[in-house]
Amino acid sequence: MPTPNAAQDAAPQANPWIRIARTGTWTDSQGTPRTFTSADFDAIVRNYDPQQEEAPLVIGHPETDSPAYGWVRALRRTGADLFAQLAQVPETVREAVHSGSYRYVSMALHPGGKRLRHVGLLGGVPPAIKGLGPVQLGDGSDAIVILFAAHTPEQPAPGGTRMDMEDLQKRIGALEQQVNSLTTANNELKDKLAASDKARADADTARTAAEEGKASAEQEFAAYKGEQAKAARTARLERLTADGKVTPGEHKDILLQVEALSRVPEPVEFSDGGKETLEERFWKQLEGRTPAPFLQPVAPPAGAGPAFSAPTAAAVA
């Protein structure tokens, strides 16, 4: 009996062993990732009893029935690979399998993933073979179907078959293109983020400069208003002094009071019905004073000379 590790014969064998699965994580027909270990394969081998339920070899993965192009006589695991020995395979199918016409092989498992349902050959046109009756597979909508790479019978070399290497190289090339595309997209995103960061930094700088400029302008305006108010108060105080309503000695206290009252800029309603600021009410109180006679300026009589004269020389003598 040929073993899974034997070299490939020059001609197809009557009951060839073909690899139908490898350990690893694969995506089933429902798009669900499934991981198979050596222990999983050992369980599938133990559970397979062709006397109770013989798994057919089919083309594709039919859900209900299909011509059986052969039957799985036995299963065995060798290393990381699961092999099926095919029996009652028509010559045309054996030659097609032997030559690699079917690029993919897959297995379908019953729900639970521990019993083989059938083995499918994919990637080629089903051969026209007369006399093959349909095999009833039951409802296959819940079968677990796993697709594996191309293979050749009796050729599970540790380094992989020639067709495995070609398929692997294609997959590597596709992945490299995907990586390059993602790298380009990532670099473009980084450039956009960098430009966005620079624009945001420039905007922050401009906003900070504007805020500082505004604060400086407000300070200058406040200082200007303060100088104007101070000048206006001084002028008003000088008028009151000239009118004899305040004395020079009161200037300091009056200015301090006016400065304090100016900190309440809102008008206040008084009991007399007036509504004005506290500062303005204070000024009006000062302006309402009766002038002191001794503070009013006295003009000299017209034509009057000085109130005293210098002594004569004789008087000094």
Side-chain angles (χ1 to χ4, degrees), residues 168-182:
L168 182 60
Q169 288 174 351
K170 290 180 180 179
R171 290 176 60 191
I172 291 175
L175 290 173
E176 286 180 347
Q177 291 181 355
Q178 185 177 8
V179 169
N180 292 336
S181 177
L182 291 174

Side-chain angles (χ1 to χ4, degrees), residues 31-100:
T32 303
R34 295 185 178 273
T35 300
F36 290 93
T37 64
S38 297
D40 295 325
F41 288 167
D42 290 340
I44 294 173
V45 172
R46 285 196 307 270
N47 293 333
Y48 185 66
D49 183 359
Q51 300 300 323
Q52 298 292 329
E53 181 183 4
E54 193 171 23
L57 174 69
V58 298
I59 304 298
H61 277 292
E63 290 191 358
T64 55
D65 56 50
S66 169
Y69 292 88
W71 300 90
V72 177
R73 171 176 291 182
L75 296 175
R76 67 186 302 166
R77 178 183 67 82
T78 300
D81 299 319
L82 180 64
F83 289 87
Q85 186 182 32
L86 304 180
Q88 303 177 36
V89 180
E91 182 67 21
T92 305
V93 177
R94 284 192 289 114
E95 291 178 354
V97 172
H98 181 80
S99 64

Side-chain angles (χ1 to χ4, degrees), residues 224-263:
Y224 172 77
K225 287 179 63 178
E227 292 297 329
Q228 291 293 104
K230 183 177 179 181
R233 290 168 187 156
T234 301
R236 200 167 186 177
L237 188 59
E238 289 177 352
R239 287 197 301 270
L240 289 172
T241 303
D243 293 340
K245 296 183 179 182
V246 298
T247 64
E250 294 180 284
H251 285 193
K252 182 177 180 180
D253 290 339
I254 290 175
L255 290 176
L256 289 175
Q257 292 185 59
V258 169
E259 178 68 22
L261 294 173
S262 67
R263 295 170 188 166

